Amino acid sequence: MNKLVFAVSLLFTLITSSVFSQKNVLKTNIEQIINTKKATVGVAIYGLESKESITVNNELQYPLQSVFKFHIALAVLNQVDKGKFELNQKIFIKPSDLLPNTWSPIREKYPNANVSLSIAEIIRYTVGESDNNGCDILLRLIGRPKTVNDYIHKIGIKEVAIVASEEDMHKAWDVQFGNWTKPMAAVELLKIFYDKKVTSKANFDFLWKVMIESPTGKKRIKSQLPEGTLVAHKTGTSDTNQEGITSAVNDIGIVTLPNGKHFAISVFVSNSKENEGTNEKIIADISKLAWDYFVAK
């Protein structure tokens, strides 16, 4: 019996050591990608079924940019689940709601405004196409950025702050840094969402579909993954200032593996002096490393 116990213990030790070694290799490979770049990069990766986690530079705060539209959608859907709103409820869009000089597919389609769109349509524009005007319409619907901030904290995600709207962020460069997260906090929110702890199944299915069908970020998380891979994600991108610094090129999402399991990933490229292609490739390369790691398991 003692020999059997010893053999089982030795096998467990060898397996644990192998897993730890593989994780170390993954982390080292990620660090090799980012250490040569003129940018600060934060990474969090989590196996939703295996519960393995890896972080790089998670102690820092990264500007969310449009990633916060995922947080806003969750706050809106929470109020839908509570009966305060309905997804098919129409919201009248006034000309003053469609600000110029900001990314807005809604404005492109309805340049004269004076149209009623359902909350579901506005969420699709806001999360799926990253519409800035849609974002602020949703914020005004539920109150203000603080409403979202308080809700996200209430459901257990503490290392995040949401204090500014898209309109606010367009007024001055520094405002964007008030909306921040740590990489693992973004992954934890994805996990809570995936576990259907913050939405009804119907609203989960709705937002999941929106995130999978999003046309944004084709050169980020999904870029190097096999064609047809399901990636439910939300991107975020800042402008580049006169000093050539891009404050944020981000992507967070849940990737479905060939065996039906999943991993959540967040990559935040901050204060970068690299060009757009390099910034996006950082995310794509890290996503591919995570894919290879979980597929090999």
Side-chain angles (χ1 to χ4, degrees), residues 5-208:
V5 171
F6 175 77
V8 170
S9 176
L10 179 60
L11 179 60
F12 177 79
T13 300
L14 290 173
I15 293 173
T16 303
S17 176
S18 175
V19 170
F20 185 74
S21 176
Q22 291 168 5
K23 286 175 62 175
N24 275 347
V25 170
L26 174 58
K27 185 169 184 176
T28 297
N29 289 340
I30 291 172
E31 289 171 341
Q32 287 176 347
I33 289 172
I34 68 179
N35 286 345
T36 60
K37 304 301 187 297
K38 293 176 287 186
T40 301
V41 183
V43 181
I45 299 166
Y46 181 80
L48 293 180
E49 288 82 15
S50 68
K51 305 188 185 308
E52 298 172 76
S53 64
I54 297 162
T55 62
V56 178
N57 295 331
N58 188 60
E59 71 280 3
L60 303 177
Q61 299 175 358
Y62 300 84
L64 280 158
Q65 275 294 332
S66 288
V67 168
F68 86 138
K69 292 167 183 170
F70 172 59
H71 302 61
I72 292 168
L74 291 179
V76 173
L77 291 176
N78 174 256
Q79 295 198 13
V80 170
D81 281 330
K82 288 181 175 179
K84 187 171 181 179
F85 304 111
E86 296 181 0
L87 273 183
N88 61 3
Q89 179 178 333
K90 298 288 187 177
I91 305 297
F92 184 71
I93 310 297
K94 307 182 300 295
S96 60
D97 291 324
L98 300 183
L99 300 180
N101 303 318
T102 191
W103 173 252
S104 182
I106 294 176
R107 189 191 61 239
E108 295 302 309
K109 186 170 184 179
Y110 306 103
N112 298 318
N114 295 319
V115 62
S116 293
L117 300 180
S118 69
I119 290 175
E121 289 176 284
I122 299 171
I123 290 175
R124 286 192 191 98
Y125 275 113
T126 299
V127 178
E129 299 187 48
S130 212
D131 193 297
N132 291 337
N133 284 322
C135 169
D136 286 357
I137 290 167
L138 292 176
L139 282 175
R140 287 191 289 273
L141 177 69
I142 61 175
R144 49 187 173 154
K146 186 178 185 301
T147 305
V148 180
N149 187 74
D150 291 348
Y151 171 70
I152 298 300
H153 286 183
K154 182 179 178 181
I155 62 177
I157 309 301
K158 304 297 185 182
E159 293 184 319
V160 61
I162 297 172
V163 301
S165 66
E166 282 287 354
E167 183 178 3
D168 294 332
M169 286 192 285
H170 279 73
K171 292 177 179 177
W173 176 263
D174 289 342
V175 175
Q176 65 183 301
F177 296 99
N179 289 350
W180 61 266
T181 189
K182 293 187 177 181
M184 184 51 76
V187 161
E188 288 171 350
L189 186 61
L190 288 168
K191 180 183 182 300
I192 290 175
F193 166 64
Y194 181 77
D195 288 341
K196 303 178 186 64
K197 292 182 178 179
V198 290
T199 63
S200 62
K201 184 181 184 305
N203 281 338
F204 168 83
D205 290 343
F206 163 71
L207 186 54
W208 179 259

